[in-house]
Amino acid sequence: MALNGETKTESTNGEAKTESKNGEQVSRHQEVGHKSLLQSDALYQYILETSVYPREPEPMKELREVTAKHPWNIMTTSADEGQFLNMLLKLVNAKNTMEIGVFTGYSLLATALALPDDGKILAMDINRENYEMGLPIIEKAGVAHKIEFKEGPAMPILDEMIADEKYHGTFDFIFVDADKDNYINYHKRLIDLVKVGGLIGYDNTLWNGSVVSPPDAPMRKYVRYYRDFVLEFNKALSADARIEICMLPVGDGITLCRRIK
């Protein structure tokens, strides 16, 4: 069952379809870990095959393929979003960065490859085992020295940094792909840690497209649980005068926040 109440059917060639209420057939991409909000399987595949895969660094390809075997592979950053982050970090000349929510490290590797050799990433996740799944690939890529990994909840670490003013305004870029019910709490702290003119990227802000679904629409339990938190967070960002925002339908939705105050 689709998030918006559409029913899923099978076409004659085996491609998964969703049938809308008016009977229109729309294809859905079935790739493992797929998060694209594009309705067309063919269009998303075109993006991957034309732009993403031909330019994907070999270490990222290897890590993506390893992560695909993980039972929770849906948690990984999509390949097109990884490419976007890598390009964005180069455009803003980021050097000092932070990542909250690492999983196996696909977005972390995209970041590390984009930073200069003396660049730094403070990476936090509650599960070191998942991080260590991708660590050999990160080490082989020659960028592990840029990463400081801390296992455990990010909030206590952020509170310590807030208490020490030497960390205020020191981060060029921060990427958050963690517990959605804490996004607002993260933002309250990160806005002081990112520099004026720096960026914070919040992942999954379109949350499987459920942000426009009726409250009583059929949804997976985890989608329904976090949906209201995502909606509340998006509303809070739109009213925050300290930032400029841009919400993009890349992956499962990413909102970029540029600190201006």
Side-chain angles (χ1 to χ4, degrees):
M1 190 71 72
L3 293 177
N4 58 3
E6 296 170 338
T7 57
K8 182 180 287 185
T9 62
E10 285 292 324
S11 66
T12 55
N13 63 2
E15 182 186 44
K17 300 281 188 177
T18 56
E19 182 178 334
S20 65
K21 294 178 181 179
N22 61 8
E24 181 183 357
Q25 294 287 337
V26 182
S27 62
R28 296 282 190 179
H29 196 73
Q30 296 301 301
E31 180 175 307
V32 171
H34 168 71
K35 291 184 177 181
S36 176
L37 296 165
L38 292 173
Q39 299 295 305
S40 167
D41 174 80
L43 183 56
Y44 184 62
Q45 198 64 37
Y46 176 82
I47 292 172
L48 292 177
E49 294 178 357
T50 305
S51 172
V52 180
Y53 293 158
R55 297 298 188 96
E56 186 179 32
E58 191 60 34
M60 290 181 65
K61 177 183 178 182
E62 184 179 355
L63 183 49
R64 174 169 56 82
E65 292 174 345
V66 167
T67 304
K69 301 172 184 176
H70 193 289
W72 290 97
N73 57 62
I74 191 66
M75 292 172 59
T76 191
T77 300
S78 62
D80 54 325
E81 185 174 9
Q83 183 186 59
F84 171 74
L85 290 173
N86 184 270
M87 174 77 78
L88 180 65
L89 287 155
K90 293 173 183 175
L91 289 173
V92 300
N93 295 313
K95 187 173 181 180
N96 189 37
T97 71
M98 181 192 302
E99 181 161 331
I100 301 175
V102 172
F103 192 42
T104 62
Y106 187 80
S107 57
L108 183 63
L109 180 55
T111 299
L113 290 170
L115 298 185
D117 193 60
D118 60 346
K120 299 296 180 184
I121 312 167
L122 173 60
M124 293 171 275
D125 198 287
I126 59 173
N127 191 317
R128 178 179 289 274
E129 184 178 350
N130 288 332
Y131 168 65
E132 290 182 345
M133 182 177 180
L135 184 56
I137 299 171
I138 293 172
E139 290 174 337
K140 187 167 63 173
V143 293
H145 66 282
K146 302 178 185 181
I147 300 168
E148 179 187 2
F149 179 83
K150 294 190 176 185
E151 183 181 23
M155 211 68 71
I157 299 172
L158 296 179
D159 284 338
E160 289 179 8
M161 298 175 75
I162 290 295
D164 189 341
E165 291 191 0
K166 73 178 182 180
Y167 293 107
H168 288 208
T170 59
F171 288 88
D172 304 309
F173 180 80
I174 301 172
F175 183 60
V176 184
D177 183 7
D179 40 331
K180 316 309 168 195
D181 47 344
N182 261 324
Y183 268 26
I184 285 182
N185 293 322
Y186 290 139
H187 185 68
K188 289 176 181 178
R189 292 157 174 82
L190 297 179
I191 194 65
D192 289 328
L193 298 177
V194 71
K195 71 179 186 181
V196 174
L199 294 175
I200 309 173
Y202 293 101
D203 202 20
N204 305 114
T205 51
L206 294 178
W207 199 230
N208 287 245
S210 67
V211 291
V212 294
S213 299
D216 59 349
M219 302 178 198
R220 295 177 181 177
K221 288 183 179 180
Y222 79 93
V223 173
R224 181 177 299 282
Y225 176 78
Y226 288 112
R227 175 181 178 273
D228 288 345
F229 291 109
V230 174
L231 286 169
E232 181 184 1
F233 177 68
N234 289 341
K235 185 176 181 180
L237 289 186
S238 69
D240 191 341
R242 298 168 297 178
I243 56 173
E244 296 173 331
I245 64 172
C246 180
M247 181 182 285
L248 299 169
V250 177
D252 190 28
I254 179 171
T255 299
L256 298 178
C257 305
R258 178 176 178 267
R259 183 183 175 187
I260 56 175
K261 293 182 180 180

